[in-house]
Amino acid sequence: MSIKLYGYWRSTASYRARIALNLKGVEYEYVPVNLVNDGGEQHSSEYSRLNPAHLVPTFVDEDEDIILNQSLAIIEYLDERYESEHRLVPEHLTERARVRALAQDIACDIQPIGNLRVLNALKGHFEASQDDVAKWAAHWIALGFDGIEKRLQTQAGKYCFDFDVTLADICLVPQVYNAQRFNVDMSRYPLISKIAKNCNELSAFELAKPENQKDAI
Amino acid sequence: MSIKLYGYWRSTASYRARIALNLKGVEYEYVPVNLVNDGGEQHSSEYSRLNPAHLVPTFVDEDEDIILNQSLAIIEYLDERYESEHRLVPEHLTERARVRALAQDIACDIQPIGNLRVLNALKGHFEASQDDVAKWAAHWIALGFDGIEKRLQTQAGKYCFDFDVTLADICLVPQVYNAQRFNVDMSRYPLISKIAKNCNELSAFELAKPENQKDAI
């Protein structure tokens, strides 16, 4: 298959890319990269040639001769390459900007701080316990969701933006999955919870769930 | 003035937005938000109405009736609104994607982990000392720069991408500024260093420097 996604079942950035591929109706081969076993396959010489940052996901499109990291860049690439399909970033100037900003509220301000490698580093640098790092992860998710829930009050409909499923929803749903893992009290976020539920009723989201991947354990 | 940027002199995300405004030749009013004094002006009720995440920067364009957070979203908005000017994200499908990915290597995988609020939280959660948090910040910058330096070997010219100054350079230069603050050994990154130097010779970058802002101390 000319399109490959290297990812890890529980990586939320990989999860985002899977949702987008499904929403765009793109067939792809999913290649698991185990972030945990043997110190992490992302550090292998083979994989780090594809992705010198040693992170997932990595997207390969052989027809366009492109190897791409960063889930948001991958998703916008898919959206621009398959323009005729459902648009994940709307066409209107200000709507596009608002969708991207909400996606980045998650991808820049929440997810990176509670990443597996960061949690491991907290244990190494500060002798943090498993309980400490779980609290750390939950703290940043809750702080980020506080702001997002307020923003959604002025714009949300069935999805983050009234109009349709967008890049913002693609980022929100995996972050809600992670929030549940870290026992964030989701009753504080009725709009976020409702939107995640609406998204998860769509097959593109269902098929992308961590537990539905071949590398899930 | 119809365009305002709320920012902080030393915030690298604010710094990115200032560079982009300058490169696009957009006149704007810079409104300082002091992140340090009195527990941080970003938490004031007035500012948090503009930005419920209590972060900088926030961009306001009264003519288009938009209030926008997230530096990357702000920069792409500027690029799309002022299309006739110098393009910060190139037009070609795969080039666009590569530029965005490199920008996100910084904006998602480096900057958020060494953010002021994260460093303060390390002190609170783990009793980290000032020296500990400085090492933490330097660690993530070096790790990220290791990957970026490798990527640049296959594509860099005078700037991150041969063709011209892009969104990637706009993210790189503030991150180099931060690397120097945290004493990262920049001799390990000859390509990054050369590109930052080339960018800093342009007036758009010079005028955006933290020390050239009215709130610099």
Side-chain angles (χ1 to χ4, degrees):
Chain A
M1 209 164 298
S2 68
I3 293 192
K4 287 193 178 74
L5 183 75
Y6 293 78
Y8 181 60
W9 64 291
R10 212 149 68 166
S11 140
T12 59
S14 304
Y15 188 179
R16 292 175 203 148
R18 293 192 301 261
I19 297 168
L21 284 157
N22 295 343
L23 283 168
K24 298 299 279 191
V26 178
E27 282 199 55
Y28 69 102
E29 182 188 345
Y30 177 63
V31 186
V33 178
N34 194 302
L35 301 186
V36 177
N37 290 353
D38 302 326
E41 292 174 2
Q42 73 277 23
H43 303 302
S44 73
S45 59
E46 192 189 357
Y47 184 74
S48 63
R49 268 196 299 276
L50 279 179
N51 189 330
H54 300 212
L55 293 167
V56 289
T58 304
F59 168 89
V60 178
D61 181 346
E62 287 172 2
D63 292 343
E64 294 282 344
D65 193 24
I66 187 166
I67 299 169
L68 203 55
N69 68 321
Q70 291 297 344
S71 61
L72 299 189
I74 293 166
I75 295 166
E76 288 224 38
Y77 169 82
L78 290 168
D79 204 36
E80 292 172 1
R81 181 166 172 203
Y82 303 97
E83 271 199 337
S84 58
E85 311 298 321
H86 172 90
R87 290 297 299 256
L88 306 176
V89 178
E91 288 189 67
H92 185 275
L93 175 71
T94 58
E95 287 176 359
R96 295 169 72 72
R98 289 193 181 103
V99 166
R100 285 183 179 134
L102 194 64
Q104 292 162 16
D105 283 343
I106 295 164
C108 301
D109 289 340
I110 301 179
Q111 192 272 340
I113 316 174
N115 213 326
L116 179 63
R117 62 179 190 154
V118 172
L119 301 186
N120 285 337
L122 290 171
K123 295 177 189 170
H125 282 244
F126 304 114
E127 297 176 3
S129 66
Q130 186 57 38
D131 190 49
D132 288 337
V133 302
K135 278 186 191 144
W136 171 269
H139 166 74
W140 296 105
I141 298 170
L143 194 63
F145 277 6
D146 288 346
I148 291 172
E149 184 76 14
K150 281 208 189 82
R151 282 187 210 286
L152 289 172
Q153 287 166 2
T154 61
Q155 74 197 28
K158 188 170 182 182
Y159 305 112
C160 286
F161 291 84
D162 213 10
F163 31 92
D164 215 335
V165 171
T166 65
L167 175 64
D169 302 291
I170 292 173
C171 292
L172 188 69
V173 167
Q175 195 58 60
V176 168
Y177 164 83
N178 235 10
Q180 288 162 338
R181 262 186 79 194
F182 289 108
N183 298 314
V184 172
D185 176 9
M186 288 303 297
S187 71
R188 289 169 57 195
Y189 310 110
L191 287 172
I192 292 174
S193 300
K194 183 193 76 174
I195 291 164
K197 185 172 172 293
N198 290 337
C199 288
N200 280 325
E201 286 169 5
L202 304 173
S203 66
F205 283 82
E206 175 65 25
L207 291 169
K209 282 183 177 170
E211 60 265 34
N212 293 334
Q213 307 316 304
K214 62 182 175 188
D215 56 333
I217 45 169
Chain B
M1 208 164 300
S2 68
I3 293 193
K4 288 193 177 74
L5 183 75
Y6 293 78
Y8 181 60
W9 64 292
R10 212 148 70 165
S11 140
T12 59
S14 305
Y15 187 178
R16 292 176 203 148
R18 292 192 301 260
I19 297 168
L21 284 157
N22 295 343
L23 282 168
K24 298 299 277 193
V26 178
E27 282 200 53
Y28 69 102
E29 182 188 347
Y30 177 64
V31 186
V33 178
N34 193 303
L35 301 186
V36 178
N37 290 353
D38 302 326
E41 290 173 3
Q42 73 277 24
H43 303 303
S44 74
S45 59
E46 190 189 0
Y47 185 73
S48 63
R49 267 196 299 277
L50 280 179
N51 189 330
H54 301 211
L55 293 167
V56 289
T58 304
F59 168 89
V60 178
D61 181 346
E62 288 172 2
D63 291 342
E64 294 282 343
D65 193 25
I66 188 167
I67 299 169
L68 202 56
N69 68 320
Q70 291 297 344
S71 61
L72 298 189
I74 293 166
I75 295 166
E76 288 225 39
Y77 169 82
L78 289 169
D79 204 34
E80 292 173 2
R81 181 166 174 202
Y82 303 96
E83 271 199 336
S84 58
E85 311 299 321
H86 172 87
R87 289 298 298 258
L88 305 176
V89 178
E91 287 190 66
H92 186 274
L93 175 71
T94 58
E95 287 176 357
R96 293 169 73 70
R98 290 193 180 103
V99 166
R100 284 183 180 135
L102 194 65
Q104 291 162 17
D105 283 344
I106 295 164
C108 300
D109 290 339
I110 301 179
Q111 192 272 340
I113 317 175
N115 213 326
L116 179 63
R117 61 178 191 156
V118 172
L119 301 186
N120 285 337
L122 290 171
K123 295 178 189 172
H125 281 243
F126 305 113
E127 297 177 2
S129 66
Q130 185 58 36
D131 190 47
D132 288 336
V133 303
K135 277 187 192 144
W136 171 269
H139 166 75
W140 295 104
I141 298 170
L143 194 63
F145 277 5
D146 288 346
I148 291 171
E149 184 77 14
K150 280 208 192 79
R151 283 187 209 286
L152 290 173
Q153 286 165 1
T154 62
Q155 74 198 29
K158 187 169 181 182
Y159 305 112
C160 286
F161 293 84
D162 214 10
F163 30 90
D164 215 336
V165 170
T166 65
L167 175 64
D169 302 291
I170 292 173
C171 291
L172 189 69
V173 167
Q175 195 59 60
V176 169
Y177 164 83
N178 235 11
Q180 288 162 336
R181 261 186 79 195
F182 288 109
N183 298 313
V184 172
D185 176 9
M186 289 302 296
S187 71
R188 291 170 56 194
Y189 309 111
L191 287 172
I192 292 174
S193 300
K194 182 193 77 174
I195 291 165
K197 185 171 172 291
N198 290 337
C199 289
N200 279 324
E201 286 169 3
L202 304 173
S203 66
F205 284 82
E206 174 66 24
L207 292 169
K209 282 184 176 169
E211 61 265 34
N212 293 335
Q213 306 316 304
K214 64 183 175 187
D215 56 333
I217 45 170

